[in-house]
Amino acid sequence: MENIVEIKHLTKIFKSKNKETIALSDINLTIGEGKFISIIGGSGCGKSTLLRIIGGLETKYNGTVLVDGKKVEHASRQTGFIFQDHRLLPWLSVKENIRFGLPKELKNNDELIMENLKIVGLEKFAASYPKELSGGMAQRVAIARALANKPKLLLLDEPFGALDAMTKMRLQDELLKIWEKEKITMIIVTHDIDEAIYLGNEIVVMTPHPGKIKRIKQVELETPRSRVGASFNMVKEQVYRDFFDTEEIPFVYSI
Ligand SMILES: Nc1ncnc2c1ncn2[C@@H]1O[C@H](COP(=O)(O)OP(=O)(O)OP(=O)(O)O)[C@@H](O)[C@H]1O
Ligand SMILES: [Mg+2]
């Protein structure tokens, strides 16, 4: 299997007048093409910074970051981004929002737009405006907008963090279907351990100050995965035990 992402000795320091923040310290990570990688870790451990560097939104750092064997100099169509908020333009319809994200040569391709709205089940809402959509629907449009650019790599930064539990589970299943069908490599940042296990082939756990990788765990569960099965819960217990100091885990609250 080819590696789509290769990161060696990545360090990122943010400098301001009187402060230096080591956002990432000596990160080493290799991601095989077609994998689904989950990144978990507390607030401030550099997860978003890492995605921004992989996506070419942040280009000043020390170390090597290669995507498809090349240094990333700027954001490109081959890498899609999905954030916690949908970032749709309120004055454009769903269809026009997707068109807006396309390069010049594809702007008139209505078929491409509708095809991607269909993937997320929203072809009937092409003429609707963002304010007429639920949070889950708006996030689906954001997914369609990213997919329309036919990315090889999709970076998701807490994409379902603001959604209710049921909608979140539905969108996780839709994302898995897209991943299987389109063979896009996906990297998701999440605070939700269940989500990390349900989606990921590998879980990367980071710790803050400075942002470091603590552990990379392979998830050896069969697909489709059950969210409530014994094997899922066994992995969940391992993740807690492996990644946190056991004393810190409130498995049982004592009064
Ligand atoms: N543009 C910036 N300028 C200065 N410091 C920054 C900048 N962006 C991030 N940082 C700092 O780098 C560290 C990592 O930030 P980052 O946003 O990557 O964390 P995160 O893991 O995504 O956190 P969260 O889970 O809260 O989203 C933090 O200490 C943050 O304050
Ligand atoms: Mg973040």
Side-chain angles (χ1 to χ4, degrees), residues 42-49 84 157-158 189 191:
S43 188
C45 66
K47 305 179 297 295
S48 296
T49 305
Q84 186 168 2
D157 196 350
E158 297 181 47
V189 162
H191 284 119

Side-chain angles (χ1 to χ4, degrees), residues 121 126 147 205:
L147 292 179
V205 173

